[in-house]
Amino acid sequence: MYIICGKTDMRKGIDGLATLIQDSFELDPYGDSIFLFSGWSKDRYKCLYFDGDGFAMLYKRLDGGKLHY
């Protein structure tokens, strides 16, 4: 599992996040890893992983709380 530090543009979809993983972090988004991204407001995050058939993305928005990091 990789926790991507910093603030990610939450408008990015699967392709944008996979490109960010490859270009900025020089990691393989097709590997056996999970990538966690946080947004500017600290109350939402996205999780991206490749399950063998394709990419899956989970988007979570916290109600009444914020991520602390």
Side-chain angles (χ1 to χ4, degrees), residues 26-54:
E26 298 179 358
L27 296 170
D28 181 15
Y30 295 95
D32 190 23
S33 298
I34 297 172
F35 299 92
L36 185 64
F37 301 88
S38 176
W40 288 92
S41 61
K42 298 182 186 174
D43 68 344
R44 55 198 71 190
Y45 62 91
K46 286 186 177 179
C47 177
L48 182 71
Y49 66 96
F50 186 76
D51 66 1
D53 293 332

